[in-house]
Amino acid sequence: MMSLRSRLPSFDFQQLVVYIGFIAIFLFFAVTLYDDGFLTQRNLTNILLQTAPATIMAIGLVFALSAGEIDLSFGSIVAVSALTAAVVLQDYPLIVGVAAGLGVGVAIGALNGVLVAYLKLPSFLVTLATMGLFAGIARSMTDLRSIPVMNETFTGIFGSGKFFSLPSLVIWTAIGVGVGHIVYRQTRFGAHVLATGDNPRAALVTGIKVARVRLYVLMISGFTAGMAGLLYAGRLQAAKYTLGESDLMTVIAAVIVGGTALNGGKGSIIGALLGSLLMGMLNNGLILMNLRVSDQMIVRGLIILLAVAVSLRDSKR
């Protein structure tokens, strides 16, 4: 006889964490920092603009984690892609610079994917190695110099411009989240990603090309990192080797807080968006509170620990 507990609908606490956390942190800062301008339109808009690249990167990481893999190299990809685009734009048209920046991201993602999917190397170690490799390449590309982006069309499209009174960064975020959510939830590829992360052996038996899925998710992660590099270069009107350097912890925290499981088979693009906004709001609030950088790092680390604990607790049910 079926027990009462088994008849009741399962309560997924992890899916609610990001919503509860977002509302709680927003209300906390709204009350404590009301006189410091937290609720001003300018400050809230800055949070949206500052989190745009991280949100785009988070979309790619959701695909990677959902397939049971991880990408630690996306911060380095951001720098290399931004620098490549900036250098190419000095001598070539807009479309060439954009293609070069995105192409570098996809190529690095493909390198990670081949090593993981076909040489059977652990994605953690592969992307840890390529993170260091391409961080070094970014530093050597321009001898640690910042490369200005003088193409006004590029900076307008990818940074400071507006379309229909909306900042271009907000539009890119909306496009990325919309496309990512549709692909993740409503396509066969998205279903294959989840199946691969949930049980790769069973997925292989059912005919899913697991190696190809692993290759593609790391290429997607590389593409989104490349896109984030373009957004950074457009907003700052320059590219530097430090771009993306501090995003690793923020993006991973956003994705985990947003409901993506560390061991694969479960994720949420919308949750990653809210997680990214939550982390951006947290960073903004901590700065307005005049906390030291070390204190800010401690708070972010505690949030990641809490999110990981919730993720692992949920996966054991």
Side-chain angles (χ1 to χ4, degrees):
M1 188 173 180
M2 187 180 294
S3 65
L4 177 62
R5 183 178 180 181
S6 62
R7 295 178 191 176
L8 294 174
S10 60
F11 178 73
D12 192 349
F13 178 72
Q14 188 188 4
Q15 291 182 351
L16 296 179
V17 168
V18 66
Y19 302 101
I20 297 172
F22 185 88
I23 295 172
I25 292 176
F26 179 82
L27 291 176
F28 173 78
F29 286 138
V31 173
T32 58
L33 298 174
Y34 179 81
D35 294 331
D36 296 310
F38 178 78
L39 289 177
T40 62
Q41 180 180 354
R42 180 178 180 180
N43 187 61
L44 295 178
T45 301
N46 282 336
I47 292 175
L48 290 175
L49 299 181
Q50 291 168 359
T51 56
T55 301
I56 298 299
M57 285 183 273
I59 294 169
L61 190 59
V62 168
F63 279 92
L65 284 176
S66 296
E69 307 299 337
I70 191 169
D71 185 1
L72 301 177
S73 66
F74 58 81
S76 299
I77 297 175
V78 167
V80 174
S81 296
L83 286 168
T84 300
V87 170
V88 173
L89 284 170
Q90 292 181 336
D91 299 311
Y92 295 94
L94 172 69
I95 187 66
V96 179
V98 172
L102 293 178
V104 166
V106 173
I108 297 174
L111 172 62
N112 289 334
V114 168
L115 293 175
V116 170
Y118 298 105
L119 296 186
K120 309 297 184 183
L121 300 178
S123 57
F124 178 86
L125 297 179
V126 168
T127 58
L128 182 64
T130 54
M131 176 181 69
L133 171 64
F134 288 101
I137 290 176
R139 283 162 169 74
S140 64
M141 283 178 66
T142 57
D143 295 325
L144 304 183
R145 291 182 295 109
S146 176
I147 304 298
V149 178
M150 308 301 293
N151 190 309
E152 294 183 359
T153 303
F154 177 89
T155 57
I157 293 175
F158 293 99
S160 59
K162 289 187 176 182
F163 299 95
F164 305 106
S165 300
L166 289 175
S168 57
L169 288 172
V170 174
I171 293 177
W172 281 116
T173 300
I175 292 173
V177 171
V179 173
H181 179 74
I182 291 172
V183 173
Y184 189 77
R185 290 296 182 189
Q186 301 182 20
T187 67
R188 179 179 296 181
F189 173 72
H192 288 180
V193 169
L194 290 169
T196 298
D198 184 55
N199 192 327
R201 291 185 179 180
L204 194 61
V205 170
T206 60
I208 296 175
K209 298 184 183 301
V210 171
R212 187 178 299 177
V213 169
R214 288 170 173 163
L215 170 64
Y216 287 166
V217 295
L218 289 171
M219 289 178 67
I220 290 172
S221 183
F223 172 82
T224 56
M227 186 66 195
L230 298 186
L231 297 182
Y232 269 129
R235 183 166 187 257
L236 301 175
Q237 299 183 11
K240 194 175 182 181
Y241 68 91
T242 55
L243 292 180
E245 197 171 58
S246 61
D247 286 330
L248 180 64
M249 188 165 66
T250 298
V251 174
I252 292 177
V255 171
I256 297 173
V257 170
T260 298
L262 282 170
N263 54 353
K266 177 184 176 183
S268 171
I269 300 296
I270 303 300
L273 167 64
L274 291 177
S276 179
L277 290 174
L278 186 151
M279 296 303 297
M281 183 169 57
L282 180 66
N283 290 337
N284 180 269
L286 294 176
I287 291 173
L288 290 178
M289 292 178 70
N290 295 318
L291 291 184
R292 296 175 300 178
V293 174
S294 58
D295 294 329
Q296 296 176 34
M297 294 175 66
I298 290 172
V299 173
R300 286 194 292 265
L302 290 174
I303 288 178
I304 294 176
L305 284 175
L306 178 62
V308 170
V310 172
S311 175
L312 295 178
R313 176 179 179 272
D314 184 78
S315 65
K316 292 178 180 178
R317 290 185 174 184

